[in-house]
């Protein structure tokens, strides 16, 4: 029985005698590689959709808690947006000079070689991607069932099953067609932005009526301790993470030299302005104690201001989670696909569907890993383990930009920034690495341990020459690849064939 997406993707054509037949590989002259179907608008939706997750609806209190005043918190939100813009601009240069999917993994591989890139990939595979996606899916499920259980904790099993259904549905959509995935992203991103515009409009209406008691002394009580301000800035910068999403799908973009930097240039100001205005709206309506004690700030805001329309907010949070999860699945699957193409993961993950031109094995692997993490009861605690790793590798990729300027000065660079931007962001990344080490030392050390656990895997699967690798691993890889090709109707892409010498060299 063919896989469901194979049925969806097969197209019927007419023969000369009028009989229908199924298209096959021999009937098409199309190159076997993923299609360039991501437009400028899709790119903006991917970045905005991933950056604006559930956090701005649920718990934007971290910045306020550490800054201790409305005025200072808004300054820190603005600084966070500016620093994130610096990082995004650096990624615009990297993405247009190294036109490969895979984001920071591809850039670290190019600059610092296979070992560091593999550790980055291993960290994503074991902790960063599946944990992030599991948490987003559980948050989605909680807000879906909240109206059914308004006064009590929703059943654990119901939440996990709905979360699993959410992951499976988005994995299926992205297996069938890249366009389906980007359309879902567009629709749900528009919906969540409209919900935030509603929140902002209510806040501006209140300001217009003169209800500004909470903002009359905005800097009163502001934190003066450098450590508290640093933690506030850390919270803001973490809320802005996700601006690198589009760099994971560079090879699928139409005209990436133009559309990648343009998507970044449009998305970053949009998100920064939305974050600032949404927080102002919260501050106008809710006092500080309500903001700091609420488990879901936007829901509390809706209950105070929207009356019978307050149901809009929980739905908006759910839609925001669905959009964020979709963009995360798209990015993670391309990361695993590129990693396999470079010889750092099993070959079976580098295959693409013959008709759909989607990385079906990588998508299914990502979905399976996330479903496994749903079985972990305290999955939210796992987030604490990867903060150190995440910012370390983002900083390394931007340090790679500076390194490549000197080692490959003649590399074509459609966009070439002043070195001020990457240097400032590298210093910012160093700060983001030190803060979790200082404030959450044990969890950061666990995260480092998880990353370093990839060393034996690198030695056995990448460093050793093929003839010296364990025979059982070679047999398992070859057998898995064979059956994945047959079951999921996949093949090696033309790009993979062209890059085999490069992959061998990287080993």
């Amino acid at each position: 029985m063919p896989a469901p997406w194979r049925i969806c993707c097969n197209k019927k054509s007419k023969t000369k005698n009028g009989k229908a037949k199924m298209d096959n590989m021999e009937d098409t002259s199309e190159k076997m590689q993923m299609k360039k179907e991501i437009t400028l608008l899709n790119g903006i939706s991917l970045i905005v959709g991933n950056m604006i997750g559930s956090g701005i609806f649920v718990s934007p209190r971290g910045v306020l808690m550490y800054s201790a005043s409305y005025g200072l918190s808004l300054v820190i939100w603005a600084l966070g947006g500016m620093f994130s813009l610096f990082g995004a601009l650096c990624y615009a240069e990297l993405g247009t000079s190294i036109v490969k999917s895979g984001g920071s993994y591809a850039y670290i591989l190019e600059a610092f070689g296979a070992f560091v890139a593999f550790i980055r990939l291993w960290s994503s595979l074991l902790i960063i991607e599946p944990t992030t996606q599991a948490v987003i899916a559980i948050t989605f499920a909680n807000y879906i069932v909240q109206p059914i259980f308004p006064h009590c904790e929703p059943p654990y099993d119901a939440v996990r099953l709905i979360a699993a259904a959410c992951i499976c549905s988005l994995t299926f959509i992205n297996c069938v067609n890249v366009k389906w995935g980007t359309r879902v992203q567009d629709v749900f991103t528009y919906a969540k932005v409209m919900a935030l515009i509603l929140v902002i409009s209510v806040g501006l209406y209140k300001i217009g009526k003169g209800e500004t008691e909470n903002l009359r002394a905005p800097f009163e009580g502001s934190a003066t301790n450098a450590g508290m301000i640093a933690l506030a800035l850390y919270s803001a910068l973490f809320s802005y993470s996700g601006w690198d999403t589009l760099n994971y799908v560079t090879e699928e973009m139409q005209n990436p030299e133009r559309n990648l930097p343009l998507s970044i240039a449009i998305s970053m100001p949009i998100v920064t302005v939305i974050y600032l205005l949404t927080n102002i709206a919260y501050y106008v309506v809710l006092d500080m104690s309500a903001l700091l004690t609420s488990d879901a700030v936007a829901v509390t805001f809706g209950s105070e201001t929207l009356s019978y329309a307050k149901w809009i907010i929980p739905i908006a949070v759910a839609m925001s989670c669905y959009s964020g999860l979709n963009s995360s699945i798209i990015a993670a699957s391309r990361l695993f696909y590129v990693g396999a193409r470079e010889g750092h993961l099993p070959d079976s993950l580098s295959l693409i569907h013959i008709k759909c031109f989607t990385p079906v094995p990588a998508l299914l692997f990502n979905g399976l890993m996330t479903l496994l993490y749903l079985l972990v009861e305290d999955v939210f605690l796992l987030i604490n383990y990867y903060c150190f790793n995440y910012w370390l590798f983002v900083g390394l990729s931007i340090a790679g930009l500076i390194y490549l300027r000197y080692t490959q000065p003649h590399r074509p660079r459609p966009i070439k920034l002043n070195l001020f931007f990457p240097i400032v962001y590298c210093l910012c990344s160093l700060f983001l690495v030190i803060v979790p080490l200082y404030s959450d030392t044990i969890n950061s050390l666990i995260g480092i341990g998880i990353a370093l656990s990839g060393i034996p895997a690198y030695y056995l699967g990448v460093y050793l020459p093929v003839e010296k690798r364990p025979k059982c691993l070679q047999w398992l890889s070859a057998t898995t690849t064979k059956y994945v090709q047959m079951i999921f109707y996949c093949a090696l892409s033309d790009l993979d064939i062209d890059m085999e010498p490069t992959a061998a060299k990287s080993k």
Side-chain angles (χ1 to χ4, degrees):
M1 180 179 176
W5 51 84
R6 180 175 172 181
I7 295 171
C8 291
C9 293
N10 279 332
K11 297 176 183 177
K12 290 187 176 180
S13 58
K14 296 283 185 179
T15 59
K16 289 182 181 178
N17 58 11
K19 290 182 180 178
K21 68 172 185 177
M22 301 304 292
D23 289 338
N24 55 39
M25 278 179 64
E26 291 79 11
D27 293 328
T28 180
S29 58
E30 288 183 290
K31 288 190 73 175
M32 271 305 301
Q33 59 183 220
M34 289 193 284
K35 303 304 176 188
K36 292 182 177 291
E37 295 187 319
I38 297 177
T39 64
L40 173 63
L41 191 60
N42 297 149
I44 295 168
S45 294
L46 278 167
I47 296 173
V48 173
N50 204 15
M51 288 182 71
I52 303 177
S54 60
I56 191 65
F57 292 100
V58 180
S59 56
R61 60 189 177 192
V63 177
L64 182 61
M65 179 170 39
Y66 293 118
S67 60
S69 74
Y70 291 149
L72 183 58
S73 70
L74 291 173
V75 170
I76 287 171
W77 277 110
L79 282 174
M82 185 179 71
F83 280 131
S84 299
L85 178 61
F86 282 15
L89 290 173
C90 293
Y91 263 51
E93 176 176 329
L94 285 166
T96 52
S97 60
I98 304 170
V99 190
K100 282 185 181 180
S101 296
S104 59
Y105 164 76
Y107 310 144
I108 291 171
L109 179 65
E110 187 75 21
F112 302 116
F115 175 71
V116 182
F118 181 87
I119 296 300
R120 189 262 179 269
L121 182 64
W122 184 260
S123 299
S124 291
L125 187 153
L126 273 193
I127 191 76
I128 296 175
E129 300 300 344
T131 300
T132 303
Q133 291 171 31
V135 166
I136 295 172
I138 291 168
T139 306
F140 167 84
N142 274 318
Y143 278 88
I144 287 292
V145 301
Q146 188 187 47
I148 305 171
F149 302 94
H151 305 298
C152 63
E153 191 75 18
Y156 175 87
D157 291 339
V159 169
R160 297 298 166 122
L161 286 171
I162 292 171
C166 173
I167 293 162
C168 292
S169 66
L170 286 172
T171 300
F172 174 78
I173 287 168
N174 283 288
C175 281
V176 172
N177 197 315
V178 172
K179 273 293 179 189
W180 286 20
T182 55
R183 282 170 188 156
V184 166
Q185 188 66 31
D186 292 347
V187 169
F188 281 86
T189 297
Y190 299 154
K192 76 166 121 182
V193 169
M194 291 303 294
L196 286 170
I197 288 173
L198 173 62
V199 170
I200 291 166
S201 300
V202 171
L204 294 177
Y205 173 73
K206 295 281 187 182
I207 291 171
K209 287 178 64 180
E211 298 179 22
T212 57
E213 293 82 2
N214 293 342
L215 300 179
R216 282 181 183 163
F219 289 93
E220 186 179 340
S222 295
T224 54
N225 181 282
M228 298 297 283
I229 294 172
L231 288 170
L233 184 58
Y234 179 80
S235 296
L237 287 166
F238 200 82
S239 297
Y240 280 103
S241 62
W243 44 259
D244 57 347
T245 305
L246 203 55
N247 294 73
Y248 286 89
V249 293
T250 308
E251 293 168 20
E252 297 169 71
M253 289 196 69
Q254 297 174 0
N255 192 6
E257 288 81 4
R258 170 186 177 271
N259 288 342
L260 176 63
L262 199 52
S263 297
I264 289 169
I266 294 171
S267 301
M268 294 304 298
I270 289 174
V271 173
T272 304
V273 169
I274 286 176
Y275 274 5
L276 284 169
L277 293 180
T278 301
N279 277 287
I280 289 171
Y282 290 156
Y283 297 165
V284 167
V285 172
L286 304 173
D287 60 30
M288 191 171 292
S289 62
L291 281 163
L292 294 178
T293 56
S294 174
D295 290 327
V297 173
V299 174
T300 306
F301 178 93
S303 300
E304 291 283 335
T305 59
L306 298 179
S307 185
Y308 293 109
K310 63 184 179 182
W311 55 269
I312 292 173
I313 300 299
I315 291 175
V317 176
M319 289 190 297
S320 183
C321 291
Y322 202 70
S323 165
L325 181 58
N326 184 59
S327 60
S328 184
I329 286 172
I330 291 171
S333 62
R334 272 53 175 188
L335 173 61
F336 299 146
Y337 164 78
V338 173
R341 194 175 70 189
E342 298 289 346
H344 290 175
L345 289 177
D347 293 339
S348 55
L349 298 182
S350 69
L351 305 173
I352 64 172
H353 194 276
I354 288 171
K355 297 292 182 183
C356 306
F357 302 102
T358 54
V360 169
L363 281 159
L364 293 177
F365 173 76
N366 175 73
L368 179 61
M369 288 292 292
T370 307
L371 291 174
L372 288 175
Y373 276 66
L374 285 182
L375 301 176
V376 180
E377 189 168 350
D378 294 327
V379 67
F380 285 83
L381 295 178
L382 297 179
I383 289 180
N384 299 326
Y385 299 154
Y386 77 70
C387 292
F388 175 89
N389 293 1
Y390 176 83
W391 292 113
L392 173 65
F393 291 120
V394 169
L396 268 178
S397 59
I398 293 178
L401 182 154
I402 301 170
Y403 179 73
L404 290 172
R405 284 282 188 93
Y406 291 101
T407 58
Q408 299 179 21
H410 303 298
R411 173 187 281 272
R413 291 178 172 87
I415 292 178
K416 191 172 182 179
L417 297 175
N418 187 298
L419 282 176
F420 168 80
F421 293 99
I423 289 170
V424 167
Y425 198 82
C426 280
L427 293 173
C428 182
S429 297
L430 184 63
F431 159 75
L432 289 168
V433 168
I434 291 170
V435 167
L437 269 178
Y438 165 76
S439 63
D440 198 4
T441 307
I442 300 298
N443 286 329
S444 296
L445 291 175
I446 292 172
I448 293 169
I450 291 169
L452 295 180
S453 70
I455 293 174
Y458 175 79
Y459 178 77
L460 292 173
V462 181
Y463 181 78
L464 284 178
V466 175
E467 62 273 9
K468 292 185 179 179
R469 293 175 193 171
K471 299 296 181 186
C472 59
L473 290 181
Q474 294 185 51
W475 174 84
L476 181 62
S477 177
T479 305
T480 304
T481 302
K482 173 185 172 182
Y483 284 104
V484 165
Q485 283 181 300
M486 291 192 295
I487 295 170
F488 300 115
Y489 203 46
C490 293
L492 199 67
S493 70
D494 291 337
L495 183 59
D496 294 336
I497 295 166
D498 294 341
M499 292 185 66
E500 279 177 359
T502 307
K505 186 178 177 182
S506 72
K507 295 175 187 178

